[in-house]
Amino acid sequence: MLKSRVGALGLAFVMATAVGAASAQGSYPDKPVRFVVNFTAGGPLDIMARMMGERLNAIFKQPFVVENKTGSGGNIGAAAVANAAPDGYTVLIGLDSTFTVNPSLYSSQGFNLDQLKPVMRLASSGMLIAAHPSAKADTLKGLVERGHKDPVTFSSAGNGSPGHLSLSMLQQATGMKINHIPYRGNAPAVLALVSGEVQAAALATPGLLQHVNAGTLKALAVTGSQRSPLLPSVPTTAELGYPEVRQDVLYLAMVPAQTPDTVVQTLRKAIEQVLAQPDVQQRLRAMDFTLGTLDGDAAARELATVRDRYAKIIKSAGMKVD
């Protein structure tokens, strides 16, 4: 009888524990969630993360706090998330370059790719190639011709950034001479171009737009698979005869690989709900985002395909950070 009662109590305890765990998981999130952005504040990625955080706060009644952890081409922020508890309370909002460019660029990233998995791909955008008047180039062809004679100085948002890769593609496709000067983020790279510290740049469109509209910079081409809605008269690199210079920047939400699928799905559905809101879509389009999500598995396959393509480009260019 005693043995039976002990067994019954043990079973009851196990069932209560299981129910408690399921309840805790089912109530996600029941405390603040940290969005780690692995590039500097003020750029398109950071603005997107903060906007999503505000809307998710309204949905879940829990704070979504944005923390910028920059450096090493996004590796530092990604590593912080990769090594965090796999409970859905630490989420990386980042760019594909950390997972498609950096594996070929860095001897060590501080984490393994299989430590993180995509919640979803959020959106995409192209890069804008623009020139300062000192470059004396009104077209991309003119800039390339100048680069055949003398090196053209280009700024980017840093080693391993999307712009860095765009420049390597351009150099390989055209044979022009390029001096790449990396800055710590989009904003200082834009400032360097506007001030004439460099002659050209490959950067996110929104940071350059006001200067292009003011006539202080010349927009030469976009690297995406389609023209930017913000600059519909500016051709793509493919349209100008450089199909090899093609780059769509992918924006991602990632979590530690062992995060429970139920938590991942809860987060993904909520983010999709936010991204479907008309005013959110309007604001994202105004920042040159092409809207279009992919779930975690599809996003992982996309990253693998892009990583293989970029690995060949990086090897051919001899790019290396360390």
Side-chain angles (χ1 to χ4, degrees), residues 73-224:
N75 289 335
I76 291 175
V81 177
N83 294 302
D87 54 11
Y89 289 95
T90 305
V91 181
L92 176 70
I93 305 297
L95 303 179
D96 72 283
S97 58
T98 305
F99 309 96
T100 58
V101 176
N102 290 4
S104 298
L105 208 58
Y106 291 82
S107 58
S108 174
Q109 292 184 255
F111 68 99
N112 296 321
L113 293 180
D114 60 7
Q115 286 183 260
L116 289 165
K117 65 180 178 182
V119 175
M120 61 191 295
R121 187 248 276 166
L122 305 164
S124 63
S125 68
M127 303 296 291
L128 176 63
I129 299 174
H132 186 270
S134 62
K136 298 180 181 178
D138 291 329
T139 64
L140 182 58
K141 182 179 179 181
L143 189 69
V144 169
E145 289 176 350
R146 179 181 176 87
H148 282 149
K149 299 173 183 176
D150 298 297
V152 176
T153 53
F154 274 83
S155 67
S156 81
N159 284 318
S161 68
H164 184 190
L165 185 65
S166 290
L167 297 180
S168 293
M169 291 181 189
L170 183 63
Q171 191 168 33
Q172 287 187 61
T174 66
M176 68 180 295
K177 302 169 187 175
I178 289 175
N179 281 343
H180 171 228
I181 303 177
Y183 289 81
R184 196 176 178 86
N186 208 71
V190 170
L191 181 60
L193 179 60
V194 173
S195 68
E197 188 174 316
V198 296
Q199 297 166 302
L203 296 167
T205 303
L208 297 169
L209 186 63
Q210 62 173 319
H211 306 292
V212 170
N213 289 338
T216 53
L217 295 178
K218 181 69 176 181
L220 305 182
V222 293
T223 66

Side-chain angles (χ1 to χ4, degrees), residues 25-72:
Q25 188 167 295
S27 63
Y28 170 86
D30 59 5
K31 62 181 182 180
V33 176
R34 184 169 59 127
F35 272 179
V36 175
V37 175
N38 58 343
F39 287 92
T40 54
L45 179 68
D46 178 71
I47 293 171
M48 171 189 260
R50 292 178 190 279
M51 181 166 52
M52 288 196 308
E54 290 174 1
R55 300 305 173 97
L56 292 171
N57 186 345
I59 291 172
F60 290 118
K61 310 303 180 189
Q62 290 291 342
F64 280 72
V65 181
V66 174
E67 178 183 349
N68 297 90
K69 292 186 75 69
T70 66
S72 190

